[in-house]
Amino acid sequence: MGYQETIPGVVRGEVTGTQCIRRSFAILRLLAGGDHDGEKLVDIAGALKLSHPTTHRILKALEQEGIVERAGGSQRYRLGAEAAWLGVGPFNRCPITRLSAIVLEDLAQATGDSIFLSVPSHNDAVYADRRLGNWPVQARGVHVGARRPMGVSVGGRVMLAHLGEARMKTVLAENADRFADWNCPMDQVLRGIEDTRAQGYLVDDSLTRQGRRAMAVPVRDVGGRAIGAISIIAPTARLGSDRVARLLPLLREGARRVGTALFEQRMAS
Amino acid sequence: MGYQETIPGVVRGEVTGTQCIRRSFAILRLLAGGDHDGEKLVDIAGALKLSHPTTHRILKALEQEGIVERAGGSQRYRLGAEAAWLGVGPFNRCPITRLSAIVLEDLAQATGDSIFLSVPSHNDAVYADRRLGNWPVQARGVHVGARRPMGVSVGGRVMLAHLGEARMKTVLAENADRFADWNCPMDQVLRGIEDTRAQGYLVDDSLTRQGRRAMAVPVRDVGGRAIGAISIIAPTARLGSDRVARLLPLLREGARRVGTALFEQRMAS
DNA sequence: GGAAAACTTCCACATTTCGGAAAATCCGTA
DNA sequence: TACGGATTTTCCGAAATGTGGAAGTTTTCC
């Protein structure tokens, strides 16, 4: 017996005696990544390699805490209102979203397309904020709080490229299996990372949405490490190489503003 | 050995095999209630009647998950960025805050004072949203995401009054000890609940802030049960009985709008 | 600079959690 | 509406995970 978390080549945190806390939050991150309809118990258990009774017991406890709720009548689990109330404090305190709000707004205004801020969370890229442009085709389907395995979205690849070699390798190793679910070939991810390192930004067709193309630049802290990414999503035709060239300075300036503001904020507190 | 959660007269949830999940979230709620400087380990352990090593182990695990972080350099724990990323999805989906945003804005404009939306979370009242009025004295100290044991704030008392007899008793029993920390006498709470039931609203001096008075009305769902409260906080002089009478219809109308909108939203989905 | 308070590690122990198997329930399909 | 496979839930024996006393280490506050 005894489920042992064994990730090849990865030394997981050294804390022991907290198996079920790790499992609980793995479940919560999984649910955060799913859509609003929720996830079935078998799928959760399958994805995390947990037994059904264990998954069930944890979900029931989380439901009792209000952190997890059942979509509609029953049977499908998703994050609940308590998650919102626990998170709203940190969210409002969190510098990056507060500082990026204006920048995203400006970019959405200037470009007319949808602008996203992604941040890394464990092995995922989370969409931390979003501004829809006024161009008729909008990215309404991608909600704030949604997640992708880091590397699937252009924002994720850009962050991977600036995360440090060791961390990048770890994340890629741990995400390798998950990429398949997003029909995202590993070599496309690797190519994206290399491109980003070469040019400082990345443009690629969307994997999740046919006919869309996305472009991302890193938001970097003082040490040059990525703490996020700003991306723009638009119909493929609207992201030809000419427009990309025109957008690049805009996005870069935005990312720089966020990074600098963050630094100044840090200094102040 | 073996810590047993024993609350007199209260049958806690029947889920077993999840002790440390309950403990984890008890800690998280405690941290959510604290201020931005964070809480010391001993205080957390003391408040929740946990041993130091256990508290330490759980906090370390939560820190590794990024749900908890250390304020400044070290030693004081508070909620971390991951809590924000897990919560931002549910928050944006959550109907009540979306629907109340406009209402709070209107009320803040109309009154010039600070308007709060509280919602119940376990035994706490959480400030789910806030609008500062343009009157020079503002309630900047009370942040969104902050918590009070339900009954301490006027919003909490108003919610208690409309929570159903059984639930109210439970919450009062479980909060009895905590009231002392807010120098909030139990009979003042009880009186507040009775007043609310008699008049449908509550006015009382602030317990947390000298020279402030607050007024609250319940936000009720179709069945009449409280799902939140809208409250206004102002210098005592600005909440005399004449102005209270003038404000009452405004607040009630606001609460009604939120309640109705919520109902319609439920119907639609 | 010293003492008290707080944090962290260690370890033997048993409570809490685990998961296989089976029963109950749900849901898609006809 | 009734059937059958899929999914959820309960049960329970087993042991791994998590527990807390005691002791060592670091931090904080005089």
Side-chain angles (χ1 to χ4, degrees):
Chain A
M1 212 198 294
Y3 163 84
Q4 216 50 294
E5 197 149 317
T6 325
I7 301 155
V10 171
V11 181
R12 250 293 190 170
E14 311 87 56
V15 186
T16 61
T18 51
Q19 188 191 55
C20 78
I21 295 184
R22 271 214 308 276
R23 290 176 172 189
S24 297
F25 283 97
I27 290 178
L28 292 180
R29 281 194 299 272
L30 185 82
L31 294 181
D35 55 17
H36 295 176
D37 303 339
E39 304 285 330
K40 291 196 295 182
L41 186 147
V42 266
D43 297 337
I44 300 168
L48 300 176
K49 311 246 178 71
L50 296 172
S51 72
H52 293 189
T54 296
T55 311
H56 179 250
R57 183 164 21 82
I58 295 177
L59 280 171
K60 222 160 120 190
L62 293 174
E63 189 182 10
Q64 200 160 67
E65 295 295 331
I67 299 294
V68 151
E69 67 184 19
R70 273 140 123 139
S74 172
Q75 226 68 338
R76 299 183 85 94
Y77 296 91
R78 67 179 177 198
L79 292 184
E82 283 301 312
W85 308 140
L86 284 177
V88 66
F91 184 85
N92 284 322
R93 192 181 61 225
C94 190
I96 192 167
T97 44
R98 219 172 40 216
L99 297 170
S100 67
I102 310 141
V103 172
L104 295 203
E105 185 63 44
D106 288 354
L107 286 172
Q109 291 273 342
T111 64
D113 294 306
S114 298
I115 310 287
F116 287 85
L117 172 70
S118 309
V119 299
S121 162
H122 289 249
N123 297 331
D124 298 336
V126 184
Y127 292 115
D129 204 355
R130 171 185 96 165
R131 286 309 130 102
L132 300 178
N134 47 25
W135 186 260
V137 182
Q138 295 177 323
R140 292 199 172 274
V142 183
H143 293 275
V144 170
R147 289 164 175 253
R148 308 275 181 269
M150 219 188 297
V152 169
S153 62
V154 287
R157 273 173 240 168
V158 160
M159 289 193 287
L160 274 174
H162 297 277
L163 229 52
E165 198 66 15
R167 180 85 188 111
M168 185 201 75
K169 286 241 168 73
T170 309
V171 174
L172 284 178
E174 297 192 13
N175 278 349
D177 296 341
R178 306 169 67 204
F179 285 155
D181 304 336
W182 299 85
N183 58 316
C184 169
M186 177 61 96
D187 48 307
Q188 189 171 350
V189 178
L190 294 174
R191 200 162 354 105
I193 294 173
E194 276 166 31
D195 287 358
T196 306
R197 287 185 170 159
Q199 0 172 76
Y201 71 97
L202 184 62
V203 185
D204 208 344
D205 291 322
S206 168
L207 288 165
T208 45
R209 199 66 190 277
Q210 197 73 296
R212 299 285 167 86
R213 185 168 285 170
M215 172 179 181
V217 298
V219 177
R220 310 168 80 164
D221 68 8
V222 197
R225 272 217 344 237
I227 51 168
I230 292 179
S231 54
I232 181 169
I233 302 184
T236 313
R238 273 176 70 85
L239 276 181
S241 58
D242 48 340
R243 185 151 187 260
V244 164
R246 263 181 295 134
L247 287 173
L248 185 57
L250 281 180
L251 293 181
R252 279 203 167 131
E253 172 62 10
R256 197 197 53 74
R257 280 169 68 193
V258 175
T260 316
L262 198 70
F263 175 64
E264 283 163 5
Q265 164 111 4
R266 280 270 160 70
M267 289 298 94
S269 72
Chain B
M1 211 200 291
Y3 163 83
Q4 217 51 293
E5 197 149 318
T6 325
I7 301 153
V10 171
V11 182
R12 251 293 191 175
E14 310 89 54
V15 186
T16 60
T18 51
Q19 188 191 56
C20 77
I21 295 183
R22 271 214 307 277
R23 290 176 170 186
S24 297
F25 283 97
I27 290 178
L28 292 180
R29 282 194 299 273
L30 186 83
L31 295 181
D35 55 18
H36 295 176
D37 303 337
E39 304 285 331
K40 291 195 296 185
L41 187 145
V42 267
D43 296 337
I44 300 168
L48 300 176
K49 313 246 179 70
L50 297 171
S51 72
H52 293 190
T54 296
T55 310
H56 179 249
R57 183 163 23 79
I58 294 177
L59 279 171
K60 222 159 118 189
L62 294 174
E63 188 182 11
Q64 199 160 66
E65 295 295 332
I67 298 294
V68 150
E69 66 182 21
R70 271 137 124 143
S74 174
Q75 227 69 334
R76 299 183 85 94
Y77 296 92
R78 66 178 178 199
L79 292 183
E82 283 301 312
W85 308 140
L86 283 178
V88 67
F91 185 85
N92 284 322
R93 194 181 60 225
C94 190
I96 192 166
T97 43
R98 217 170 42 214
L99 296 169
S100 68
I102 310 141
V103 172
L104 294 202
E105 186 61 46
D106 288 354
L107 286 171
Q109 290 275 341
T111 65
D113 294 307
S114 298
I115 311 286
F116 288 85
L117 173 69
S118 309
V119 299
S121 163
H122 289 249
N123 297 332
D124 299 336
V126 185
Y127 291 115
D129 204 355
R130 171 185 96 166
R131 286 310 130 101
L132 300 178
N134 47 25
W135 186 259
V137 183
Q138 295 177 322
R140 291 199 172 276
V142 183
H143 293 276
V144 171
R147 289 166 175 251
R148 307 276 181 269
M150 219 188 296
V152 169
S153 62
V154 287
R157 273 173 241 168
V158 160
M159 289 193 286
L160 274 174
H162 298 276
L163 229 53
E165 198 66 15
R167 180 84 188 113
M168 185 200 75
K169 287 239 168 76
T170 308
V171 174
L172 284 179
E174 297 192 13
N175 277 350
D177 296 342
R178 306 168 67 204
F179 285 154
D181 302 337
W182 298 85
N183 58 316
C184 169
M186 177 60 96
D187 47 308
Q188 190 172 351
V189 178
L190 295 174
R191 200 163 352 104
I193 293 173
E194 276 166 32
D195 287 358
T196 307
R197 287 186 169 157
Q199 5 173 69
Y201 71 96
L202 184 63
V203 185
D204 208 344
D205 290 323
S206 168
L207 287 164
T208 45
R209 200 66 189 280
Q210 197 72 298
R212 298 285 166 86
R213 185 170 285 171
M215 172 180 179
V217 298
V219 177
R220 309 168 81 168
D221 67 7
V222 198
R225 274 213 348 233
I227 51 169
I230 292 178
S231 55
I232 181 168
I233 301 183
T236 312
R238 272 176 70 84
L239 276 181
S241 57
D242 48 339
R243 185 150 187 262
V244 164
R246 263 180 294 134
L247 287 174
L248 185 56
L250 281 179
L251 292 182
R252 279 204 168 133
E253 174 61 11
R256 198 197 52 77
R257 279 168 68 194
V258 175
T260 317
L262 197 69
F263 175 64
E264 283 162 5
Q265 164 113 2
R266 280 270 160 71
M267 291 296 94
S269 71

